[in-house]
Amino acid sequence: MKQSVFLRLGLSVILLMHSVISIFSGDVNNFGHFYLDSIGFSPFGIYIAWAVKLTHLFSVPLLWFDRYIKPVAIGNILIFVFGIYFVHWQNGWFVVGGGTNGIEFNVLLIFSFLSLMYPEIYLKKQNNFSHEKDI
């Protein structure tokens, strides 16, 4: 997976910034208490919020050193899928521009992690004009 260095670096920067900033600002606690608890996760909202942020944070060095990529990807994909369902779905597709807080960024992150998990999958281009070489 050494060829995925730019993708791993980009994902790690996104996860690092998303986790560290919310941990130091206290937003992780607010998200757990005020949002997750209010949609039915009480009294576990704070623990879920911290589990999400710590998963992101611990994923960063593993991405840097190209270790345990599939478990890291699966864990983060699950977080993004649940984030789409519980947080972003009602806001539509767009994160900015045509809307706010939509699902497009999570979808991109999901497909980026899928690309890390399965780098060998590609769409095979069929050349229907191979006989033209002979002409």
Side-chain angles (χ1 to χ4, degrees), residues 5 17-18 21 24-25 32 36-37 42-44 50-51 55 60 69 73-75 86-87 97 99 107 114-115 120 128:
V5 66
M17 295 306 292
H18 197 66
I21 298 298
F24 284 114
S25 70
L36 292 176
D37 283 350
S42 182
F44 303 107
W50 274 98
T55 298
V60 170
I69 295 299
I74 290 168
F86 287 108
V87 179
V107 170
L114 287 171
S115 182
E120 68 281 355
N128 293 332

Short mmCIF file of all heavy atoms in Angstrom, two decimals, residues 5 17-18 21 24-25 32 36-37 42-44 50-51 55 60 69 73-75 86-87 97 99 107 114-115 120 128:
data_model
loop_
_atom_site.label_atom_id
_atom_site.label_comp_id
_atom_site.label_asym_id
_atom_site.label_seq_id
_atom_site.Cartn_x
_atom_site.Cartn_y
_atom_site.Cartn_z
N VAL A 5 0.44 6.82 -0.30
CA VAL A 5 1.00 7.73 0.71
C VAL A 5 0.25 9.06 0.74
O VAL A 5 -0.02 9.60 1.82
CB VAL A 5 2.52 7.92 0.50
CG1 VAL A 5 2.83 8.64 -0.79
CG2 VAL A 5 3.12 8.65 1.69
N MET A 17 -7.07 16.93 12.52
CA MET A 17 -7.68 18.24 12.77
C MET A 17 -9.09 18.10 13.33
O MET A 17 -9.48 18.84 14.23
CB MET A 17 -7.70 19.07 11.48
CG MET A 17 -6.32 19.42 10.97
SD MET A 17 -5.29 20.23 12.19
CE MET A 17 -6.15 21.78 12.34
N HIS A 18 -9.82 17.14 12.82
CA HIS A 18 -11.20 16.95 13.28
C HIS A 18 -11.25 16.50 14.74
O HIS A 18 -12.15 16.89 15.48
CB HIS A 18 -11.90 15.93 12.39
CG HIS A 18 -13.38 15.95 12.48
ND1 HIS A 18 -14.15 17.01 12.07
CD2 HIS A 18 -14.25 15.03 12.96
CE1 HIS A 18 -15.42 16.74 12.28
NE2 HIS A 18 -15.50 15.55 12.84
N ILE A 21 -8.90 19.48 17.39
CA ILE A 21 -9.57 20.76 17.59
C ILE A 21 -10.80 20.60 18.49
O ILE A 21 -11.00 21.39 19.42
CB ILE A 21 -9.98 21.39 16.24
CG1 ILE A 21 -8.75 21.68 15.37
CG2 ILE A 21 -10.82 22.65 16.45
CD1 ILE A 21 -7.77 22.65 15.95
N PHE A 24 -9.69 19.85 22.22
CA PHE A 24 -9.17 21.00 22.96
C PHE A 24 -10.19 22.11 23.13
O PHE A 24 -10.13 22.87 24.10
CB PHE A 24 -7.88 21.52 22.32
CG PHE A 24 -6.70 20.66 22.61
CD1 PHE A 24 -6.07 19.95 21.60
CD2 PHE A 24 -6.22 20.52 23.91
CE1 PHE A 24 -4.99 19.14 21.88
CE2 PHE A 24 -5.14 19.71 24.20
CZ PHE A 24 -4.52 19.01 23.17
N SER A 25 -11.14 22.23 22.21
CA SER A 25 -12.14 23.29 22.33
C SER A 25 -13.29 22.88 23.25
O SER A 25 -14.08 23.72 23.66
CB SER A 25 -12.71 23.64 20.95
OG SER A 25 -13.52 22.58 20.47
N GLY A 32 -21.49 15.33 22.64
CA GLY A 32 -21.99 14.18 23.39
C GLY A 32 -23.18 14.51 24.26
O GLY A 32 -24.20 13.84 24.22
N LEU A 36 -25.94 14.20 21.08
CA LEU A 36 -26.18 12.76 21.12
C LEU A 36 -27.17 12.36 22.23
O LEU A 36 -28.04 11.52 22.01
CB LEU A 36 -24.86 11.99 21.27
CG LEU A 36 -23.93 12.05 20.06
CD1 LEU A 36 -22.62 11.33 20.37
CD2 LEU A 36 -24.58 11.47 18.82
N ASP A 37 -27.03 12.96 23.39
CA ASP A 37 -27.99 12.67 24.46
C ASP A 37 -29.41 13.09 24.07
O ASP A 37 -30.37 12.39 24.37
CB ASP A 37 -27.59 13.37 25.76
CG ASP A 37 -26.45 12.67 26.48
OD1 ASP A 37 -26.08 11.54 26.08
OD2 ASP A 37 -25.93 13.25 27.46
N SER A 42 -28.65 9.14 25.47
CA SER A 42 -28.41 9.41 26.89
C SER A 42 -28.51 8.11 27.68
O SER A 42 -29.38 7.30 27.42
CB SER A 42 -29.46 10.40 27.39
OG SER A 42 -29.23 10.71 28.73
N PRO A 43 -27.66 7.88 28.60
CA PRO A 43 -26.57 8.69 29.16
C PRO A 43 -25.21 8.42 28.50
O PRO A 43 -24.18 8.77 29.05
CB PRO A 43 -26.54 8.26 30.61
CG PRO A 43 -26.86 6.80 30.56
CD PRO A 43 -27.87 6.68 29.41
N PHE A 44 -25.21 7.79 27.32
CA PHE A 44 -23.95 7.37 26.71
C PHE A 44 -23.40 8.33 25.66
O PHE A 44 -22.37 8.07 25.06
CB PHE A 44 -24.12 5.98 26.07
CG PHE A 44 -24.58 4.95 27.05
CD1 PHE A 44 -25.88 4.49 27.00
CD2 PHE A 44 -23.74 4.48 28.04
CE1 PHE A 44 -26.32 3.54 27.91
CE2 PHE A 44 -24.17 3.54 28.96
CZ PHE A 44 -25.47 3.07 28.90
N TRP A 50 -16.61 10.73 22.61
CA TRP A 50 -15.18 10.52 22.87
C TRP A 50 -14.65 9.32 22.10
O TRP A 50 -13.51 9.34 21.62
CB TRP A 50 -14.92 10.40 24.37
CG TRP A 50 -14.73 11.74 24.98
CD1 TRP A 50 -15.67 12.49 25.64
CD2 TRP A 50 -13.54 12.53 24.96
NE1 TRP A 50 -15.12 13.69 26.03
CE2 TRP A 50 -13.82 13.74 25.63
CE3 TRP A 50 -12.28 12.32 24.44
CZ2 TRP A 50 -12.87 14.73 25.79
CZ3 TRP A 50 -11.32 13.32 24.59
CH2 TRP A 50 -11.63 14.50 25.27
N ALA A 51 -15.44 8.27 21.98
CA ALA A 51 -15.00 7.10 21.21
C ALA A 51 -14.75 7.48 19.75
O ALA A 51 -13.77 7.03 19.14
CB ALA A 51 -16.03 5.98 21.31
N THR A 55 -11.05 7.40 18.20
CA THR A 55 -10.85 6.54 17.02
C THR A 55 -10.16 7.33 15.92
O THR A 55 -9.20 6.85 15.31
CB THR A 55 -12.19 5.97 16.52
OG1 THR A 55 -12.77 5.17 17.55
CG2 THR A 55 -12.00 5.14 15.26
N VAL A 60 -4.62 8.21 13.15
CA VAL A 60 -3.63 9.06 12.48
C VAL A 60 -2.25 8.39 12.40
O VAL A 60 -1.72 8.23 11.29
CB VAL A 60 -3.55 10.45 13.16
CG1 VAL A 60 -2.37 11.25 12.64
CG2 VAL A 60 -4.87 11.19 12.94
N ILE A 69 -4.49 -0.93 8.31
CA ILE A 69 -5.29 -0.06 7.46
C ILE A 69 -6.75 -0.53 7.40
O ILE A 69 -7.67 0.29 7.50
CB ILE A 69 -4.69 0.05 6.05
CG1 ILE A 69 -3.32 0.74 6.11
CG2 ILE A 69 -5.63 0.77 5.09
CD1 ILE A 69 -3.34 2.15 6.64
N ALA A 73 -9.81 1.67 8.59
CA ALA A 73 -10.80 2.07 7.59
C ALA A 73 -12.21 1.64 8.01
O ALA A 73 -13.15 2.45 7.93
CB ALA A 73 -10.45 1.46 6.23
N ILE A 74 -12.36 0.42 8.47
CA ILE A 74 -13.68 -0.06 8.88
C ILE A 74 -14.22 0.78 10.04
O ILE A 74 -15.38 1.19 10.04
CB ILE A 74 -13.63 -1.56 9.25
CG1 ILE A 74 -13.41 -2.39 7.98
CG2 ILE A 74 -14.91 -2.00 9.96
CD1 ILE A 74 -13.05 -3.85 8.24
N GLY A 75 -13.39 1.04 11.04
CA GLY A 75 -13.83 1.85 12.18
C GLY A 75 -14.28 3.23 11.76
O GLY A 75 -15.33 3.72 12.20
N PHE A 86 -27.27 10.00 11.48
CA PHE A 86 -27.74 10.73 12.65
C PHE A 86 -27.52 12.24 12.59
O PHE A 86 -28.21 12.98 13.28
CB PHE A 86 -27.09 10.19 13.93
CG PHE A 86 -27.61 8.85 14.35
CD1 PHE A 86 -26.82 7.71 14.22
CD2 PHE A 86 -28.89 8.72 14.85
CE1 PHE A 86 -27.29 6.47 14.60
CE2 PHE A 86 -29.37 7.47 15.23
CZ PHE A 86 -28.57 6.35 15.11
N VAL A 87 -26.56 12.70 11.81
CA VAL A 87 -26.21 14.12 11.85
C VAL A 87 -26.47 14.83 10.53
O VAL A 87 -27.07 15.89 10.50
CB VAL A 87 -24.72 14.31 12.26
CG1 VAL A 87 -24.35 15.78 12.28
CG2 VAL A 87 -24.44 13.66 13.60
N GLY A 97 -22.09 25.71 -0.09
CA GLY A 97 -22.57 26.05 -1.43
C GLY A 97 -24.07 25.88 -1.52
O GLY A 97 -24.82 26.76 -1.13
N GLY A 99 -25.92 24.07 0.22
CA GLY A 99 -26.50 23.75 1.53
C GLY A 99 -25.42 23.82 2.58
O GLY A 99 -24.31 24.29 2.33
N VAL A 107 -19.24 11.08 2.45
CA VAL A 107 -19.23 10.13 1.33
C VAL A 107 -17.83 10.07 0.73
O VAL A 107 -17.30 8.98 0.45
CB VAL A 107 -20.28 10.52 0.27
CG1 VAL A 107 -20.12 9.70 -1.00
CG2 VAL A 107 -21.69 10.35 0.83
N LEU A 114 -12.32 3.21 1.52
CA LEU A 114 -12.51 2.01 0.70
C LEU A 114 -11.37 1.84 -0.29
O LEU A 114 -10.91 0.72 -0.54
CB LEU A 114 -13.85 2.07 -0.03
CG LEU A 114 -15.10 1.86 0.81
CD1 LEU A 114 -16.36 2.16 0.00
CD2 LEU A 114 -15.13 0.45 1.38
N SER A 115 -10.89 2.94 -0.84
CA SER A 115 -9.76 2.90 -1.76
C SER A 115 -8.50 2.40 -1.06
O SER A 115 -7.70 1.68 -1.66
CB SER A 115 -9.52 4.28 -2.36
OG SER A 115 -8.47 4.26 -3.26
N GLU A 120 -6.50 -2.62 -5.14
CA GLU A 120 -6.35 -3.43 -6.35
C GLU A 120 -7.62 -3.48 -7.20
O GLU A 120 -7.60 -3.99 -8.29
CB GLU A 120 -5.92 -4.86 -6.00
CG GLU A 120 -6.97 -5.67 -5.25
CD GLU A 120 -7.09 -5.38 -3.76
OE1 GLU A 120 -6.29 -4.60 -3.22
OE2 GLU A 120 -8.00 -5.94 -3.13
N ASN A 128 -12.79 -2.29 -27.48
CA ASN A 128 -13.58 -2.95 -28.51
C ASN A 128 -13.00 -2.74 -29.89
O ASN A 128 -13.46 -3.32 -30.86
CB ASN A 128 -15.02 -2.42 -28.49
CG ASN A 128 -15.73 -2.82 -27.21
OD1 ASN A 128 -15.42 -3.85 -26.63
ND2 ASN A 128 -16.68 -2.01 -26.79
#
